Amino acid sequence: MKEDRLLREDFISVQDRIISSAIDLISEAGLGSLNFDNISMRINLSGAMIYKYYSDTNELLVDVVKTYFKFDHGIFKTISSREGTYLEKVNMYVDEI
């Protein structure tokens, strides 16, 4: 089983693993749990490696939203029209649904 997981990880980019982990984390524990420490523990990756791709959680959240945007154009449009950081915008969106 562990070999299957490792094999899949070889075919998934580090950035996609980070985004996927962020989505899982938000789904399971809410936006407040989104931080690089939690993500690095989930995917066994150093925080420094995450910073190679994202300067902060807001930047990561933009990619999370863009990933959802691929499936639902309305989410990105609604969030983009709001004022504030991406975290604030997404919190407002989530509170409405």
Side-chain angles (χ1 to χ4, degrees):
M1 186 85 126
K2 186 176 180 180
E3 288 179 11
D4 290 341
R5 183 179 62 83
L6 293 175
L7 183 61
R8 283 192 310 262
E9 289 175 0
D10 289 341
F11 292 104
I12 300 172
S13 73
V14 172
Q15 191 168 14
D16 285 343
R17 287 177 49 214
I18 293 168
I19 293 168
S20 176
S21 177
I23 291 169
D24 289 345
L25 192 58
I26 293 166
S27 296
E28 293 170 10
L31 279 171
S33 66
L34 183 63
N35 62 57
F36 290 172
D37 288 337
N38 287 341
I39 292 171
S40 65
M41 285 189 298
R42 280 181 169 264
I43 58 177
N44 196 27
L45 195 67
S46 72
M49 181 63 97
I50 296 173
Y51 278 104
K52 179 179 174 184
Y53 294 91
Y54 298 102
S55 61
D56 59 27
T57 54
N58 282 327
E59 191 176 338
L60 171 57
L61 197 53
V62 169
D63 275 358
V64 167
V65 171
K66 285 180 181 177
T67 299
Y68 274 100
F69 173 64
K70 292 176 186 175
F71 304 103
D72 186 343
H73 298 285
I75 293 173
F76 190 75
K77 184 177 179 182
T78 300
I79 291 172
S80 295
S81 68
R82 306 263 167 96
E83 294 290 323
T85 67
Y86 258 86
L87 184 57
E88 292 167 342
K89 292 176 185 184
V90 171
N91 270 325
M92 284 187 271
Y93 179 80
V94 169
D95 287 344
E96 291 176 1
I97 57 172

